[in-house]
Each structure stands twice: as C-alpha cells, then as structure tokens.
Amino acid sequence: MFPSKVGHPIHNFFYTLLLIPFILILIHLHYIPQLRTTLSKSSNECTGKYIYIQNIPSQYNTDLVRDCDKLSQWTDMCMAVTNTGLGPNISNINNGWYNTNQFTLEIIFHNRMKHYKCLTTNSSQASAIFIPFYAGLDVGRHLWGTDTSVRDSDSMELLKWVKSRPEWQRMGGNDHFLVAGRVTWDFRRIMVSGWGNSFLNQPETQNITTLIIESSPWHTNDIAIPYPTYFHPSTKNEILSWQEKVRKISRKYLFSFAGAPRSDVSSSIRQKIFEQCGLSKRCKLLDCRNDGNECFSATSIMKLFKSSIFCLQPKGDSYTRRSTFDAMVSGCIPVFFDSESAYFQYKWYLPKNYSLYSVFVPEDVVNEGKVKLEELLSEFSEGEVIRMREEVIKMIPKLIYGDPRVELEGWKDAFDVAIERVIERVGKTRSEMKKGELIEASDEKESWKYGLSVDGGKYKWDGFFQNHV
Ligand SMILES: *[C@@H]1O[C@H](CO)[C@@H](O)[C@H](O)[C@H]1NC(C)=O
Ligand SMILES: *[C@@H]1O[C@H](CO)[C@@H](O)[C@H](O)[C@H]1NC(C)=O
Ligand SMILES: *[C@@H]1O[C@H](CO)[C@@H](O)[C@H](O)[C@H]1NC(C)=O
Ligand SMILES: *[C@@H]1O[C@H](CO)[C@@H](O)[C@H](O)[C@H]1NC(C)=O
C-alpha cells in the first residue's frame, strides 16, 4: 500500500501525510513533562539524577495556597501567592520582575520541581525523594498563636504520613528532602512555651534534608539556600541583559542601607549603622520606620541598590536578610557584620573566600565605635571595586530562582544548584549506609571552617582598626 518510489510528487505527498502523526506526537511530548521524562530515560542523561515527588495530601500544600487569606495576619498573602508564588508581575520595569514576598519560596521551588527534567513516577528509580510540604506557610499561620499544639499539629501529621510510606523504609528517610521558606528558628521551638513549632526537632526531620532560607549553625539537618528575590527571568537573554545593565550602571552612593533600627536592643548594630549612614553624605538610607511602603516596593529597593557601590547587611531579628540577595542581584557589593549572615550559611552558593565578593567588618568593632564605614569603604581602589562587583554579577544567575512556569534553557539557577547538591549529599549518605558507617552529615559541620580562617585567621581589617582607634 505504501508508495514504493521516492521522488514522485504524489509519493512525496504521501510521505508528508505519514509524518504528520509523528510531528504531532513530538509536539505533545514537548508539552508533557512526564512523557518527556520517559523519553529522556533512554538517553541516560538522567541516570543518577531522578527525583520522585512524594504525593502528599493537598492539605499540606495547595490547600494552604487556596486558603491564602489565612496565611498571615500581617500581609495580604493572596497577592503574594499569585503567579506560582512569584507575586504580582511588575514587568513594566523589565521582563521577569515580580513583587515577590520573602516567604513564598516553597511554592516557587515546588513549581520549579514540576519542570525538573529528570522526574520519575517510579520511586525506586529515584536518587532523592522530594516532599512538597509548604512548611513555612503552615507554621506562618500560627506563629503568633499561643497554642503550641495547634502550631505543631499539621506538620506532625505530615511526618507521620511520610514515615508510613514505602519510600521511607528504603533509607529511613535519609534520601528525602523538603524546602522551608522561613528561618530555622520558626521550626525549632526550644521551651514548651517558646517561639515556633518543633518540626525540625522531630526524629524524622533529623534524616530529611531541609533546604531553608536561614539554617542553624548547631544542627546538621538544614542547609541554607537563597531567599527569593524580585527577579525571575525565564530566558538566558533576560539574565545576560540584566547582568550587562548592572555592570554599566553608574552608582552615585558609596554605600546604602534599607531597613529599620532595632531600638529594643541596646547594643544593636543597626542603631550604629543608622547613626553612621545618617552622618555620611555618601550613604543613602531607606528608613523602614518612616518609609514603610517604600521598603516593600521592589522598585524603590532595587533603585537604591542599583545606585550603591556597597550595601550594608547587618543582622536584624535573625542573622540573614533577604536584602542580601536583592543587593547582590543589583550588583551591589554586600558588607557583612556577622559571619552567620552569609558565609556560614550559603556555602553551596558563595565562594569560600569571602573577600572576593564582599566586605567583612566584625560587629564588635562597629559597636565599639572603632571604625568609620565611610573611610573604610572608600579605601577600596576602583580596580578592587570593579573586581568584587564582577564577582557578584557573575553569581547572579545562581542566586535567583528562574520563572517556575517554564523549563530553563542554557543556564542554572539557585534551584538547579540545590538539586545537584542534594543528590550529591544523599548519594554520600547512601554509600555510607551501604558500608554500615554511622550516618552523620559531616559536610555541614565543616562549614564552620570556611569562615574567617581564609586570611590566615586574621581579619583583613585588623591593621586598619589599629590605626583608627
Ligand atoms: C507582565 O506584564 C507585562 C505588561 O504589564 C506583560 O507584557 C507581560 O507579558 C507579563 N508577563 C507575564 C509573565 O505575565
Ligand atoms: C521501577 O524501577 C525499578 C528500579 O529501576 C525497576 O526494577 C522496576 O521494574 C520499575 N518499576 C516499574 C513499574 O517500572
Ligand atoms: C533515621 O535514619 C537512621 C539511619 O538509617 C535510622 O536508623 C532511623 O530509624 C531513622 N529515623 C526514623 C525516624 O526513621
Ligand atoms: C581571597 O581573595 C582576596 C581578594 O581577591 C585575595 O587577596 C586573597 O589572597 C584570597 N585568599 C585566599 C586564601 O585565596
């Protein structure tokens, strides 16, 4: 029945007809991640990279988003959860920009995961098991409630559910991971009446790897990953043109700070920063006591950071700040006052040698009034500034989360880095378990060594302080 000769116009026409179903199938495969996964299995690019998404009940994720009006008593989270957690589109500035809330990482990460190229529906094939629990949205509903049993209840039920699954038995949960979009202290209630729930104190969560915006220096079961910023590009070109833009921009302020002082803490570094910035003509302050709305506006925050050479990142209620990432995305060189604010945290993301991309000024030295930030920062030569800024700009792609609604082509974002490292970490644990060695997530303990020893155990600024006392 098939035409036997090629070349005749009618025969060609038949061939074209025969091709149509194949073309349709290819088009379909392109749009159905699950099928495409099956297809790519044969090509082996996924060997050792498969991830299985645990099919947890919707009360632990999508129902929380549906009931967004109950997520926070302070913020309108219903705006924040739109666009798969990116928040309202502010692309009138530039493509890929959203007014992203700092607590929506769980939704963004989950949706990025849905586009991960090596998903499997066969859990025994998976290198790691993802639990798409929105841990931070869950606890965020009850943080200011007094009843600790209410705060704990859903997360305990979730753990019971996960533990009862056959996937748990394989490695006692040591191949499981999840994302928590709030700081670790919200999940580590110490005293009966203390702050937070006790999700990360449970026996199950000692085995699960928790990726979190601020980790605990005293525990090995959580690992810090970047806060979400306002920038969620979907193409490599959007990234490249942004990098080019912040590289070329002229910056009129030597340094800047966006935040509020903590007047309740007498020795607060923030108080000192406010004083120093207020007294310097070369510092720009976005005072979040007075300019509250500006502080929640992506546009004014990015405008400030884009006009500044250095951005001060003192700790606030906790060690880390979302602002660190907003600043770095703007090509602004971060200034840290506590090594817990970044160096000991984001070790998967930041170079060990912090002097390459940031300035460290020990908090005590500022509190004791031994240093003038303006003098210290203006000592950097133009060449040094350019080198450090270039280091920051190079890091941008891996410090941000791409648009979770598309598959990213040709670049890696913070999600990709996290997945690679989780698979590596689980692989290490797996081989230790096979050898029967005691499980200990030793890599995190070593993170302490990264900190201040890089300059031979001395602060780069020691000499400077001695001269300026
Ligand atoms: C965001 O809004 C702009 C204009 O307001 C529009 O052109 C663009 O397509 C929107 N982007 C997305 C991803 O919705
Ligand atoms: C799942 O994967 C395992 C290990 O690769 C394999 O032995 C098993 O046959 C697979 N099951 C299904 C239903 O494909
Ligand atoms: C955690 O992992 C260890 C080591 O595999 C295992 O002995 C223990 O039972 C696991 N804990 C839970 C709660 O399953
Ligand atoms: C760290 O980076 C700084 C600045 O580039 C450089 O001077 C120093 O030698 C580096 N230290 C190490 C241990 O590589």
Side-chain angles (χ1 to χ4, degrees):
M1 280 292 142
F2 292 105
S4 54
K5 272 188 201 159
V6 194
H8 190 280
I10 293 198
H11 293 170
N12 278 347
F13 177 68
F14 273 117
Y15 277 114
T16 312
L17 279 185
L18 280 172
L19 278 175
I20 286 172
F22 288 108
I23 291 168
L24 286 178
I25 287 171
L26 282 177
I27 289 172
H28 266 89
L29 284 177
H30 188 72
Y31 288 105
I32 306 172
Q34 218 62 279
L35 278 179
R36 202 184 47 237
T37 303
T38 318
L39 195 73
S40 51
K41 270 175 201 165
S42 51
S43 74
N44 267 349
E45 64 166 311
C46 286
T47 305
K49 292 186 192 164
Y50 286 111
I51 287 181
Y52 175 78
I53 304 182
Q54 187 56 282
N55 195 15
I56 64 173
S58 62
Q59 75 182 92
Y60 302 113
N61 49 39
T62 50
D63 289 2
L64 289 165
V65 173
R66 185 197 60 201
D67 302 332
C68 55
D69 56 325
K70 302 195 181 63
L71 289 176
S72 165
Q73 44 187 129
W74 319 110
T75 323
D76 180 3
M77 289 300 282
C78 287
M79 290 300 281
V81 301
T82 55
N83 290 320
T84 58
L86 302 183
N89 172 0
I90 46 168
S91 288
N92 49 324
I93 312 175
N94 248 312
N95 243 357
W97 288 85
Y98 296 82
N99 210 341
T100 306
N101 183 285
Q102 63 173 331
F103 296 128
T104 54
L105 182 56
E106 294 142 6
I107 311 172
I108 296 171
F109 201 98
H110 184 196
N111 283 284
R112 272 293 275 117
M113 188 61 90
K114 289 177 188 166
H115 290 275
Y116 178 62
K117 64 181 188 311
C118 301
L119 290 179
T120 178
T121 50
N122 177 353
S123 64
S124 40
Q125 198 184 29
S127 293
I129 313 270
F130 177 58
I131 311 169
F133 173 42
Y134 298 170
L137 294 188
D138 168 51
V139 75
R141 296 175 301 171
H142 310 300
L143 276 174
W144 289 267
T146 46
D147 191 340
T148 53
S149 66
V150 171
R151 268 184 257 161
D152 287 339
S153 141
D154 280 2
S155 56
M156 300 302 127
E157 287 300 313
L158 178 272
L159 288 178
K160 229 186 267 172
W161 188 95
V162 171
K163 198 183 170 184
S164 73
R165 303 289 303 166
E167 288 79 25
W168 186 271
Q169 311 316 322
R170 199 167 61 161
M171 278 177 72
N174 282 285
D175 52 354
H176 287 46
F177 70 105
L178 58 82
V179 172
R182 297 189 71 100
V183 298
T184 195
W185 319 110
D186 292 344
F187 306 99
R188 295 186 185 275
R189 189 175 63 242
I190 300 167
M191 294 158 297
V192 183
S193 59
W195 176 260
N197 70 11
S198 45
F199 182 59
L200 289 180
N201 297 334
Q202 300 308 305
E204 292 82 7
T205 45
Q206 305 319 301
N207 291 0
I208 297 169
T209 297
T210 294
L211 308 175
I212 197 160
I213 51 178
E214 175 174 331
S215 66
S216 159
W218 299 289
H219 299 87
T220 56
N221 60 338
D222 58 5
I223 291 182
I225 63 174
Y227 282 72
T229 66
Y230 302 112
F231 190 29
H232 307 280
S234 47
T235 66
K236 192 177 176 178
N237 269 343
E238 280 172 14
I239 281 272
L240 290 176
S241 59
W242 175 255
Q243 284 173 305
E244 201 44 34
K245 187 172 172 169
V246 293
R247 190 175 280 133
K248 289 198 174 137
I249 213 158
S250 84
R251 296 170 187 263
K252 59 181 163 185
Y253 306 114
L254 176 65
F255 60 123
S256 68
F257 175 64
R262 296 288 189 279
S263 43
D264 46 325
V265 189
S266 58
S267 70
S268 162
I269 173 86
R270 292 222 176 178
Q271 212 67 48
K272 301 285 189 252
I273 300 264
F274 257 73
E275 287 165 23
Q276 289 217 16
C277 189
L279 289 172
S280 167
K281 281 200 186 76
R282 304 180 70 190
C283 185
K284 174 75 177 167
L285 199 59
L286 187 57
D287 184 342
C288 294
R289 285 170 307 185
N290 308 328
D291 311 322
N293 288 335
E294 295 256 298
C295 288
F296 290 101
S297 150
T299 321
S300 27
I301 288 180
M302 295 308 289
K303 196 172 146 204
L304 174 66
F305 292 161
K306 278 192 298 183
S307 338
S308 314
I309 297 172
F310 295 100
C311 292
L312 309 183
Q313 304 297 346
K315 68 180 185 222
D317 298 323
S318 69
Y319 293 110
T320 64
R321 308 181 76 208
R322 175 241 174 95
S323 165
T324 297
F325 295 96
D326 292 331
M328 291 177 77
V329 164
S330 315
C332 188
I333 301 163
V335 181
F336 297 111
F337 302 88
D338 190 312
S339 31
E340 257 316 311
S341 291
Y343 310 144
F344 292 170
Q345 293 283 344
Y346 308 100
K347 63 194 177 89
W348 286 354
Y349 296 88
L350 303 175
K352 279 189 197 181
N353 184 354
Y354 64 83
S355 313
L356 289 172
Y357 69 94
S358 72
V359 177
F360 181 67
V361 189
E363 194 172 308
D364 303 347
V365 179
V366 179
N367 280 338
E368 289 159 18
K370 287 185 187 164
V371 62
K372 270 213 173 86
L373 290 170
E374 181 181 334
E375 278 178 36
L376 186 149
L377 294 174
S378 52
E379 297 238 321
F380 284 94
S381 71
E382 198 183 331
E384 282 176 304
V385 164
I386 290 173
R387 265 198 305 280
M388 291 163 88
R389 182 188 303 135
E390 190 51 37
E391 204 63 41
V392 170
I393 292 173
K394 249 170 39 193
M395 278 190 252
I396 294 176
K398 289 183 180 176
L399 297 180
I400 61 177
Y401 298 91
D403 191 325
R405 294 163 296 190
V406 300
E407 188 173 339
L408 306 184
E409 301 280 356
W411 62 287
K412 285 182 183 172
D413 71 347
F415 167 90
D416 292 312
V417 173
I419 296 302
E420 279 176 14
R421 301 303 291 266
V422 163
I423 288 176
E424 213 177 283
R425 182 176 147 105
V426 169
K428 224 165 107 188
T429 308
R430 184 178 285 116
S431 59
E432 281 170 6
M433 284 176 85
K434 270 191 192 138
K435 282 187 266 164
E437 286 169 7
L438 186 70
I439 307 307
E440 214 172 339
S442 51
D443 57 346
E444 203 173 29
K445 284 193 179 135
E446 282 163 18
S447 73
W448 283 103
K449 293 180 198 157
Y450 287 6
L452 304 173
S453 58
V454 282
D455 284 335
K458 283 186 113 188
Y459 297 137
K460 189 177 175 185
W461 302 110
D462 282 358
F464 183 85
F465 300 136
Q466 276 146 24
N467 297 336
H468 287 75
V469 176

